[in-house]
């Protein structure tokens, strides 16, 4: 992997209009075979199963159907019920045909450090009923999720899935917690660009260009399809503050 960066420094002291772009050459790049970002509600080819059939508490009653679009272009589920209960809400992708060396990635967070939601990631090759998913081993259990956006990865080939059609499910399994957000569900293969980008911004940015940056030092980490990584730090500067003398 070879990584170079270019930057635009901040125009005015205290501003946040800086940006950094990463350019990658070599390694073992990916191609995207599936992507969902929930920009226009939960896609119609997704399946939502509200298996617990519990009533959300008043403060979260907009989460009325297991998983809904949050209003911030991501999917959200709740485990705060009245009366108290355990969540069992499923967000299921459409059928996705994958090749060899596929990697599943997504971003998630839970907003309250005192009530952090947990969830399973499951897979099915037969169908998208709950029993189809439960007949296979769980891909991952996140118990609990972080309180800032976190990008997670699962190597599907290492998990035993390649050259097959699959469904992927995100299952909220929390007991009387709060909210769980999921976004940017992606499956990538190792044929061509893009690579995986992760900037240490808050929230984490995952595109080749990080934007809206203040003065400071930022690190980008690039990952290719063989899990080779390369990081580079870049410092953005800003002009001195304006002063007025009379």
């Amino acid at each position: 992997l070879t990584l170079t960066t270019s930057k635009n420094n901040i125009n005015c002291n205290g501003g946040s209009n800086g940006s950094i772009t990463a350019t990658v050459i070599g390694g073992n790049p990916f191609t995207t075979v599936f992507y969902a970002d929930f920009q226009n509600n939960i896609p119609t080819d997704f399946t939502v199963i509200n298996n617990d059939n519990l009533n959300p508490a008043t403060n979260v009653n907009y989460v009325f159907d297991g998983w809904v679009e949050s209003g911030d272009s991501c999917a959200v589920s709740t485990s705060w019920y009245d009366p108290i209960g355990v969540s069992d809400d499923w967000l299921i992708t459409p059928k996705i045909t994958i090749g060899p060396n596929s990697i599943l990635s997504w971003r998630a967070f839970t907003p309250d450090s005192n009530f952090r939601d947990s969830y399973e990631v499951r897979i099915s090759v037969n169908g998208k009923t709950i029993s189809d998913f439960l007949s296979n081993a769980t891909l991952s259990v996140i118990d609990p999720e972080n309180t800032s956006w976190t990008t997670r990865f699962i190597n599907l080939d290492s998990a035993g899935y390649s050259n097959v059609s699959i469904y992927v499910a995100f299952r909220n399994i929390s007991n009387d917690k709060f909210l769980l957000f999921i976004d940017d569900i992606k499956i990538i293969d190792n044929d061509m660009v893009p690579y995986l980008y992760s900037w240490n911004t808050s929230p984490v940015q995952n595109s080749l260009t990080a934007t809206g940056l203040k003065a400071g030092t930022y690190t980008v980490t690039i990952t290719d399809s063989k899990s080779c990584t390369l990081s580079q730090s870049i410092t953005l500067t800003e002009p001195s503050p304006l002063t007025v003398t009379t």
Side-chain angles (χ1 to χ4, degrees):
L1 281 171
T2 301
L3 170 61
T4 59
T5 57
S6 59
K7 64 180 182 178
N8 293 307
N9 287 313
I10 288 79
N11 289 339
C12 300
N13 186 273
S16 58
N17 66 331
S19 65
I20 309 170
T21 298
T23 302
V24 186
I25 299 174
N28 305 281
F30 298 98
T31 186
T32 300
V33 297
F34 176 80
Y35 180 63
D37 62 3
F38 308 103
Q39 289 294 315
N40 297 299
N41 217 324
I42 292 179
T44 57
D45 54 358
F46 271 65
T47 299
V48 172
I49 302 177
N50 182 8
N51 198 46
D52 56 61
N53 202 31
L54 297 173
N55 295 316
T58 301
N59 288 354
V60 293
N61 61 12
Y62 60 91
V63 189
F64 54 86
D65 189 28
W67 290 86
V68 299
E69 195 274 325
S70 69
D72 295 318
S73 299
C74 52
V76 61
S77 174
T78 189
S79 60
W80 184 9
Y81 298 116
D82 185 11
I84 292 171
V86 179
S87 181
D88 189 14
D89 294 324
W90 296 69
L91 177 67
I92 303 170
T93 69
K95 181 186 291 187
I96 306 165
T97 301
I98 62 173
N101 305 315
S102 294
I103 293 176
L104 168 67
S105 70
W106 69 96
R107 298 193 306 130
F109 90 106
T110 184
D112 191 323
S113 60
N114 294 315
F115 299 94
R116 295 167 61 188
D117 282 68
S118 303
Y119 61 103
E120 298 175 343
V121 183
R122 289 185 167 270
I123 193 167
S124 167
V125 296
N126 296 319
K128 53 184 179 180
T129 67
I130 290 176
S131 60
D132 291 326
F133 289 101
L134 294 179
S135 66
N136 298 313
T138 307
L139 283 179
S140 184
V141 179
I142 314 300
D143 183 24
E145 185 52 273
N146 294 330
T147 55
S148 60
W149 280 108
T150 300
T151 302
R152 299 191 179 276
F153 305 95
I154 296 175
N155 188 315
L156 296 176
D157 183 58
S158 298
Y161 299 94
S162 61
N163 298 309
V164 67
S165 294
I166 62 170
Y167 301 87
V168 177
F170 297 84
R171 180 192 188 190
N172 192 337
I173 56 172
S174 309
N175 184 3
D176 192 28
K177 300 302 180 182
F178 186 33
L179 293 168
L180 173 65
F181 293 84
I182 299 284
D183 201 5
D184 295 323
I185 301 171
K186 183 186 298 186
I187 293 180
I188 47 182
D189 249 329
N190 67 336
D191 296 328
M192 55 187 294
V193 295
Y195 303 82
L196 299 180
Y197 301 85
S198 181
W199 297 86
N200 68 333
T201 52
S202 181
V204 173
Q205 298 187 43
N206 299 110
S207 60
L208 59 88
T209 300
T211 59
L213 306 180
K214 297 181 178 181
T217 299
Y218 299 88
T219 300
V220 59
T221 299
I222 309 299
T223 304
D224 72 5
S225 65
K226 304 298 184 184
S227 297
C228 301
T229 62
L230 183 62
S231 297
Q232 186 174 119
S233 295
I234 310 95
T235 298
L236 294 180
T237 60
E238 63 183 353
S240 300
L242 292 171
T243 59
V244 178
T245 59
T246 59

